[in-house]
Amino acid sequence: MRFSFIAICTFFLAACAGQDVFKDGFDNEKPWVEQQAQLPPYPSQENLMSFDVGPNTSNQHFVDSTSIDIGEDDVIRFSLVVQSSTGAMNVSYEGIRCETFERKLYALGRDDRTWSQPRISEWRRLDFVRQLYAQRELAKNLFCPHKQIVNSSEEAIRALKAGMHPKIFR
């Protein structure tokens, strides 16, 4: 009887090892599907919240608090405003996918306070693009502590006000 038990176990393990992907009955993970992004109203000065990206740049960085949206696809979307030391402003509507540490540009702001479509709008890893200081700071320390998306826009606003998400210290 002991020999037959060992033989059955060996046969079972060999069958499992031959599979490319092993999935049990509880593993019904669906592929990720991005939802359609809805452009928010153009940012207003009174809704801008500043955050620090460190010493690598002299630019000031802001998020429009009314634009923060957490989608059912686990993407946090927001309007980002970057102001240079000379006063020039760049406005964009972007999304961060915390789980994969990626960023996508959905729209660019124009001088007439309208949105335009960017030439390239695709998901890109944040750690491969050197200039994305603001997006990396938002992902690492404010909106995606430990690659976990915040639960609400209110939580994201609290993190912006505090300058860092409280989960970072845990």
Side-chain angles (χ1 to χ4, degrees):
M1 178 143 149
R2 187 173 187 192
F3 176 74
S4 57
F5 177 72
I6 292 172
I8 290 171
C9 289
T10 303
F11 175 75
F12 178 73
L13 288 173
C16 289
Q19 293 182 353
D20 288 338
V21 177
F22 177 76
K23 291 190 175 200
D24 62 20
F26 299 109
D27 197 5
N28 57 356
E29 213 175 291
K30 296 177 187 173
W32 179 75
V33 177
E34 181 180 7
Q35 73 184 42
Q36 183 72 31
Q38 300 296 318
L39 294 178
Y42 200 84
S44 295
Q45 189 71 32
E46 64 269 8
N47 298 325
L48 296 181
M49 298 184 70
S50 67
F51 64 99
D52 184 26
V53 302
N56 293 330
T57 179
S58 61
N59 294 338
Q60 292 182 305
H61 299 80
F62 306 90
V63 169
D64 178 356
S65 61
T66 62
S67 71
I68 299 171
D69 180 56
I70 299 169
E72 291 179 17
D73 56 359
D74 287 331
V75 172
I76 184 165
R77 294 175 178 85
F78 53 91
S79 295
L80 176 66
V81 177
V82 180
Q83 185 174 14
S84 74
S85 56
T86 62
M89 303 227 321
N90 287 317
V91 179
S92 58
Y93 185 63
E94 307 191 18
I96 293 176
R97 193 167 169 220
C98 299
E99 183 180 340
T100 58
F101 201 62
E102 292 176 303
R103 167 262 194 177
K104 184 174 184 177
L105 179 63
Y106 291 103
L108 295 169
R110 294 183 178 148
D111 290 339
D112 64 358
R113 302 183 57 78
T114 61
W115 296 110
S116 67
Q117 188 173 359
R119 285 185 292 152
I120 299 173
S121 181
E122 59 189 33
W123 289 102
R124 292 196 161 163
R125 296 267 312 160
L126 282 169
D127 44 7
F128 295 141
V129 182
R130 190 174 200 181
Q131 292 79 16
L132 299 177
Y133 302 116
Q135 293 85 345
R136 274 199 302 278
E137 178 65 22
L138 289 169
K140 279 184 170 181
N141 296 318
L142 296 163
F143 294 164
C144 308
H146 307 292
K147 290 192 174 183
Q148 299 294 312
I149 192 168
V150 292
N151 293 315
S152 65
S153 56
E154 292 80 15
E155 184 180 345
I157 290 169
R158 284 193 302 273
L160 281 165
K161 284 180 181 176
M164 187 165 293
H165 196 283
K167 288 183 183 176
I168 295 297
F169 299 113
R170 293 184 194 162

